[in-house]
Amino acid sequence: MKIDLTDTTASKVNKALVQGRRAIGTPAVGMVLTMVIVTDEENAYDSIKAAEEASHEHPARTLVVIKRHARNPRERTHSRLDAEVRVGSEAGTGETVVLRTYGEVSDHADSVVLPLLLPDAPVVVWWPADAPEIPAKDPLGALGQRRITDLYAVENPMEVLEARRRTYAPGDTDLAWTRLTLWRSMLAAALDQARATVTSAAVEAEADNPAAELLARWLEARLRVTVDRVVTAGPVVTAVRLRTEDGEVVIDRPEGPLATLTLPGQPARRLALKVRPTSELIAEELRRLDADEMYAVALRGEATEETPAHV
Amino acid sequence: MTDETTRPGAQPPGGTTEPGTAAPDTGTAPGARTSGAPDEAVTDAPAADGTTPEGPPPAALTAPPAGWSNPLRDPRDRRLPRIAGPSGLVIFGVTGDLSRKKLMPAVYDLANRGLLPPGFSLVGFARRDWEDQDFAEVVHDAVKEHARTPFREEVWQQLSEGMRFVPGDFDDDHAFEQLRKAVDELDASRGTSGNYAYYLSVPPRFFPKVVQQLKKHGLADAPEGSWRRAVIEKPFGHDLKSAKELNAIVHDVFDPEQVFRIDHYLGKETVQNILALRFANQMFEPIWNRSFVDHVQITMAEDIGIGGRAGYYDGIGAARDVIQNHLLQLMALTAMEEPASFDAGSLLAEKLKVFRAVRLPDDLGRHTVRGQYAGAWQGGAKVRGYLEEEGIAPSSTTDTYAAIKLRVDNRRWAGVPFYLRTGKRLGRRVTEIAVVFQRAPHSPFDSSATEELGQNAVVIRVQPDEGMTVRFGSKVPGTSMELRDVTMDFAYGESFTESSPEAYERLILDVLLGDANLFPRHQEVEESWKILDPIEEYWASHGRPAQYTAGSWGPAEADEMLARDGRSWRRP
């Protein structure tokens, strides 16, 4: 069910939500969190879709904040809020409210979002693109326990990565980091089996890939060795090599979802290592809502001071 | 946990890692470490006692540095899942229903979720004239049809490379020789490191044969630093004596710590949640005792009949099939005291205390009921009665319905009856635990206001529609004071996921990880037979099962049994 509200306020949106739920006969719902998506029209469709898919694992109230740009000065002075309330089958397992802000209210979107947050439940803010410089200081970002940005959606990932490192606050996280989970768990499992001290390492990836840089920094921080960045044709991360005294531990994914794991003295094995869609990344992101300390470690690349000479 | 089990040979027998290098725990299974350490200790024993350990350990494992801990693991890193260490699963009776509908899909789902180690291998053993490819084909079809997660070609490729099939009978020495070769070959080509779990998905009468063959061909002896585990399914005997015999047979070959008894109910999220509900919250435990609880009802109802299982079911019956394992386990979890920690040993200790405190009613005739379904219309279809089922003798006294009353004689539960019931061809398929509370000692409202008010209850819905319901009274809107029962619901499907893992996924992963929390130990099996045996003996010598209409909620005698205590069954 869909209810459109033009030139409205947060309290009218709340009324519409209750009205919508009554109409479809589910006055009580077990939503576990509020997801705030801050985006533009261009990215709205895909991110709402991803959030709705993720809501099958984490039923949520999704608030989509879209800032509209007025085309002429007259409209610019006029401030307006339009809302589209979706409940039931059109909103995954939860509820979705698309909020479009025009004019001055765009600068005060937090005042619209605050009354619409679910009581007690945690709040997650996600910027599919155009994240603020300091997510934790952003008025909307400040509402959330967890702030999700995406280094894949910026012009200069390496510069932004540095900015993220400088401005890191507990609760920050990035989808470029989420994309690495499968790689990292396979690397940890491989090292469990190899049981050897790593002397040096290399990450092979396409140029300027922020995930590869995070992976390299994580390896540096954890293994306390120099990690070479090797540029390949991609796509994304293509291989990781951990050199030990016994030989190399390699996970190689030249293309496609099937990778090869090589351990010294053991037969090579194939393993599935696919590039996951955004909805799965978001679902993983929502599984834990406390601060991701390991992301902070990877951002800082703690051991870098001891092992200079890279990039 | 992950760390522990994925590092074969890491530990000196019986030793634990020193605190400084303690294995990073992913945080998902607190205390699991304690169950890992003894496991490793015992696996070393058989290899050391002179029997031939087969297959050279992989080169990389020859000289593991002492106290090595994986720098890529960190307790703060909560994203990294528990992945099983290098290992393989051998399924006996791989052509069976359970294997095709549950085990194979569960293995695939685990692989799809990235929880199986690279190189994981699956070996099927059955009396079929199949090649490896034919077996892979069968698994492929089973996975496509029954897996929970979407089918992905690359995951399938990763899995299928490690599939082997060994044709043969259980008394065929040649076949077990083949199996040994297959296992050695997989160690060499897939790096399974000698770690194997044998899943005995076969009728219990074959257990002795299979485990003896495993022993004879050296398949049960783990090479230095690796493990061999046995996984068995119910029934764990049909009385105390046979259960002990069965345990003796299996323990003769596998160490008791390495025997995993599957009770798939314990793998269900809601059942695991009983402990979370009771011990992670403050609001339930204070009233979880005789001062507030009136009685507890545990129900497991099925709407199906015995189907084609006449051969297995007749002579066993509902009580042995369900009460002895599932219902007594649910009761133990509901009634037990808080375990010292959440590890297998502490859980076992608490559950055993409950079993040992169980007292049977003095008059078994008045406080137990058994029944058989009679032919009737059930849910719009005409069904046959139990005695008319194919393969069942008209004189059979096997129970398809059983209800018993138990007491738990300890400070917490003295005087609180636990009513357990199970049956086939009942109203609908449902399993639930209802903790029914006493009425308020005093009511300021007059009796007309509270006429419709029942007792408060906390109901844990185990299946289907997993979740929990709290029933309490509430004022009916309007001018007069009138109270009525309302429910407050928590549904898993609503608050978490429609994709919560199947019980078998969890249990198979736990077997590979060596985490025994969710598996009943042989002491529990034996204690529960001690509870059930006197009832079965009484039934064998007194009367016949009562008949009940298929599709109803059991025989009238069961209602009378509760009415005698001034109570009634809930309609689940």
Side-chain angles (χ1 to χ4, degrees), chain B residues 313-336:
Chain B
Y313 199 83
D314 198 45
I316 295 289
R320 289 195 182 104
D321 190 36
V322 174
I323 293 184
Q324 182 269 333
N325 38 57
H326 306 317
L327 294 196
L328 284 175
Q329 283 288 334
L330 293 182
M331 174 176 145
L333 292 172
T334 311
M336 73 187 216

Side-chain angles (χ1 to χ4, degrees), chain A residues 28-30 32 56-59 93 146 173 177-178 181 184-189 191-197 218-219 222-223 242 257-258 261 264-274 284-285 288 290-294 297, chain B residues 2-3 6-8 10 26-28 58-61 63-65 68 70-74 76-81 83 85-86 114 116-119 152 154-155 157-158 161 187-191 193 493-499:
Chain A
V29 279
V32 291
H56 288 284
E57 192 170 325
H58 311 274
T93 60
R146 193 88 188 213
T173 174
W177 173 244
T178 320
T181 305
R184 296 194 306 120
S185 64
M186 284 305 157
L187 285 167
L191 210 53
D192 278 338
Q193 295 187 27
R195 301 187 44 71
T197 311
W218 175 66
L219 289 171
R222 300 304 307 172
L223 300 173
L242 307 177
L258 211 53
L261 165 69
Q266 292 190 35
R269 291 157 224 171
R270 291 212 271 173
L271 51 100
L273 203 60
K274 69 158 183 173
E284 179 190 318
E285 217 35 76
R288 289 256 170 199
D290 47 354
D292 186 348
E293 293 174 55
M294 206 38 76
V297 168
Chain B
T2 320
D3 201 71
T6 45
R7 283 193 286 136
T26 50
T28 46
L61 297 176
W68 188 86
N70 189 341
L72 294 184
R73 295 205 183 272
D74 186 300
R76 290 175 295 170
D77 200 342
R78 304 212 184 84
R79 286 177 200 258
L80 297 193
I83 298 186
L116 292 183
R152 284 174 25 212
E154 71 273 13
V155 176
Q157 278 190 32
Q158 178 192 337
E161 284 174 8
D187 277 347
S189 71
R190 304 272 297 166
S193 305
E494 212 173 66
S495 293
F496 295 108
T497 104
E498 55 183 32
S499 49

